[in-house]
Amino acid sequence: MAGRIALPLTSEERNRGTLPFGAIQGLLDTLEKPLVVAERSGTLLLANTRARQYLESFGRAEMQTVNLFTDVLNADAQKIFGQIEKGAHQVKLQIGSGEKKATARIQWMPEPDWLVVEIESRLQTQAASDPATQLTVQELLQEREITYRNLLAAYLKLQEVNRQKTVFLASAAHELKTPLAVIKGYYDLLLAGSLGRLTDKQRDILEESKESCERLVRLVSMFLNYSALESGKLVLQLRENDLRDCLDELSKRWSEAFQRKGVKLDAHIDPSIPTFRFDYQKVQQAAANLLDNALKHTPSGGMVTLRAAPHFWERRVAAMAPVEERRRFRLPRPNSVEVSVLDSGSGIPAEHHQEIFEDFVRVDRKTSGMGLGLAIAKRLIQAHRGKIWVESESKTGSRFTFLLPMDQG
């Protein structure tokens, strides 16, 4: 259908049993009133059939170019959010003029940070008073109610299946964690010579066994992190921390693994990065997952580079200041940190750039792992209100980058 704005269905939505986009769009199209869903910035995400017809009547057929505040509501975003922050459940605005005069009812969805706007025109209000129209609307509402109940029942069933899966993963990971820690401890004792001298062959076998054990420990850790994220138990410990120390400690910890594979690890961390509030362990885990991914896909003799530097993230400013103000005053002062991991591996085809951040996805089936590292990294960075992406092509290596805002509340 022309003008439809499609949202990609994420793995998190699939795993949690969220209704697919097609079903949501279909439900919205049954509504008699124009309804749009937009981001905080005003970018439209969804518009039902009535909303598209309403916008087309104003000559705005290209939905992707329409801004909710400037093109639809003709209102200041800060004033609307000001009323919401004061506790208003719904914000009403009079929009349009003459025959096109209408009432916009604005509601805020806090978790995805979206605005839902329902538009009721004067003509619709008059039509609603017609008994024949009311009968048709009543029938549609009854059909919608039945469809909604069926979808809700299916959704709740999927939620329960998903909960059982998460509980199983957490239980299995906890059961494996303790014996693996004991095994790893014995490997360390043996390799240190505390239980007797070892021949060169014995040492080689023990080192290979220890490496396999450490891989299992990392998998268990990923399962525990994943179950915590899935169950909604992720709590950020935001404190004033030094990202330079965080990444330097990480690179030293991983240097031995890189040496064993014959891959060079370079760390370039800008000394001008200031201290700011972030969760030390969560950010280190996200960066570690990127290093682990780079090591898996870089052959012996290759190179992996860890970089970190201050960065000016314009989108952070866009969310806080009106367009006119941003045009008059450029803010070159860094408001975030850019962290990237570059490798000299085989690269990733462009068609896989989105799906590699989904749960249990592995583009290269020859590598080890469960396909959770990048998915967990993405969720940890997004929990910090950051952004993560990949730039890569086949046979040219990959560059994974994330932005971490320095204005955490």
Side-chain angles (χ1 to χ4, degrees):
M1 183 179 294
R4 174 170 293 181
I5 303 171
L7 288 176
L9 187 63
T10 65
S11 60
E12 182 177 356
E13 291 170 333
R14 287 197 293 268
N15 289 338
R16 295 187 178 184
T18 305
L19 298 180
F21 171 76
I24 297 173
Q25 184 72 55
L27 284 173
L28 292 182
D29 285 341
T30 64
L31 298 177
E32 287 297 307
K33 297 178 182 178
L35 186 141
V36 296
V37 181
E39 292 181 333
R40 175 179 282 264
S41 62
T43 302
L44 295 193
L45 297 174
L46 285 170
N48 68 355
T49 302
R50 294 288 183 180
R52 289 192 292 276
Q53 293 171 350
Y54 177 81
L55 293 173
E56 286 171 2
S57 70
F58 287 92
R60 299 188 179 99
E62 292 295 328
M63 301 295 152
Q64 286 84 351
T65 63
V66 175
N67 182 277
L68 175 67
F69 302 111
T70 58
D71 300 324
V72 181
L73 302 179
N74 195 24
D76 186 356
Q78 291 184 344
K79 290 183 180 180
I80 293 173
F81 281 106
Q83 294 183 53
I84 292 172
E85 289 169 0
K86 289 179 182 178
H89 176 69
Q90 187 182 83
V91 178
K92 289 185 180 180
L93 288 178
Q94 295 299 319
I95 60 175
S97 59
E99 292 184 356
K100 295 182 179 179
K101 191 174 182 180
T103 301
R105 293 181 173 83
I106 308 163
Q107 289 184 308
W108 178 52
M109 297 173 65
E111 186 169 342
D113 201 11
W114 291 349
L115 290 174
V116 180
V117 182
E118 183 183 274
I119 301 170
E120 184 175 11
S121 67
R122 181 180 295 176
L123 293 174
Q124 286 175 320
T125 305
Q126 293 172 354
S129 61
D130 185 355
T133 304
Q134 279 189 328
L135 181 62
T136 304
V137 171
Q138 187 65 30
E139 291 173 350
L140 286 171
L141 287 174
Q142 289 176 353
E143 290 181 8
R144 188 183 67 174
E145 182 69 17
I146 293 170
T147 304
Y148 171 77
R149 289 180 181 277
N150 291 337
L151 288 172
L152 181 61
Y155 171 79
L156 292 174
K157 186 176 181 180
L158 285 172
Q159 285 283 65
E160 177 59 22
V161 172
N162 183 65
R163 188 193 68 80
Q164 293 175 358
K165 177 204 68 177
T166 303
V167 170
F168 170 76
L169 283 175
S171 300
H174 277 294
E175 290 297 322
L176 288 169
K177 187 176 181 180
T178 301
L180 284 174
V182 173
I183 294 170
K184 185 176 179 297
Y186 280 125
Y187 279 131
D188 291 334
L189 284 173
L190 288 167
L191 289 170
S194 301
L195 302 179
R197 296 186 62 180
L198 300 172
T199 64
D200 292 341
K201 186 174 182 180
Q202 288 172 333
R203 182 172 295 276
D204 290 341
I205 292 173
L206 286 173
E207 285 178 348
E208 288 183 10
S209 300
K210 181 188 174 184
E211 187 176 345
S212 298
C213 180
E214 288 175 343
R215 191 181 305 123
L216 279 174
V217 169
R218 288 197 295 270
L219 284 175
V220 168
S221 177
M222 281 191 183
F223 276 132
L224 290 173
N225 286 329
Y226 176 76
S227 61
L229 290 166
E230 279 288 281
S231 60
K233 294 180 180 178
L234 175 67
V235 178
L236 295 182
Q237 303 295 329
L238 296 176
R239 295 187 178 89
E240 199 78 13
N241 288 310
D242 192 332
L243 187 67
R244 295 168 299 178
D245 291 343
C246 176
L247 297 179
D248 184 60
E249 176 186 309
L250 178 67
S251 63
K252 289 177 180 176
R253 186 188 305 166
W254 276 81
S255 60
E256 184 181 346
F258 276 81
Q259 288 174 5
R260 284 199 299 264
K261 191 175 178 181
V263 176
K264 185 178 180 182
L265 173 62
D266 275 347
H268 299 281
I269 302 171
D270 194 316
S272 66
I273 299 175
T275 59
F276 63 99
R277 288 171 60 81
F278 66 93
D279 189 314
Y280 192 97
Q281 297 297 331
K282 302 292 189 302
V283 170
Q284 193 173 77
Q285 178 66 58
N289 288 0
L290 296 186
L291 285 179
D292 184 35
N293 180 75
L295 182 59
K296 287 177 186 175
H297 296 90
T298 304
S300 179
M303 177 185 291
V304 172
T305 305
L306 172 65
R307 297 181 184 274
H311 179 79
F312 175 66
W313 190 0
E314 188 173 3
R315 181 179 173 185
R316 300 292 303 171
V317 179
M320 296 181 288
V323 176
E324 295 80 6
E325 187 175 329
R326 297 201 311 274
R327 287 173 180 169
R328 287 201 307 269
F329 305 105
R330 275 306 198 196
L331 302 178
R333 187 170 61 86
N335 58 2
S336 62
V337 177
E338 182 182 82
V339 180
S340 61
V341 175
L342 299 84
D343 65 60
S344 58
S346 57
I348 305 167
E351 61 267 24
H352 298 304
H353 285 188
Q354 292 298 323
E355 67 180 38
I356 58 173
F357 290 104
E358 297 178 3
D359 299 341
F360 303 105
V361 169
R362 286 188 298 134
V363 175
D364 186 358
R365 298 292 178 181
K366 297 177 183 177
T367 59
S368 61
M370 296 296 296
L372 283 175
L374 295 177
I376 291 172
K378 179 181 179 180
R379 294 194 193 184
L380 294 177
I381 296 304
Q382 287 182 337
H384 283 81
R385 296 185 291 129
K387 174 186 177 183
I388 186 170
W389 71 95
V390 62
E391 299 166 276
S392 178
E393 294 180 6
S394 294
K395 302 179 181 179
T396 61
S398 304
R399 175 191 175 105
F400 285 85
T401 306
F402 65 80
L403 292 177
L404 206 59
M406 292 192 289
D407 58 349
Q408 301 288 347

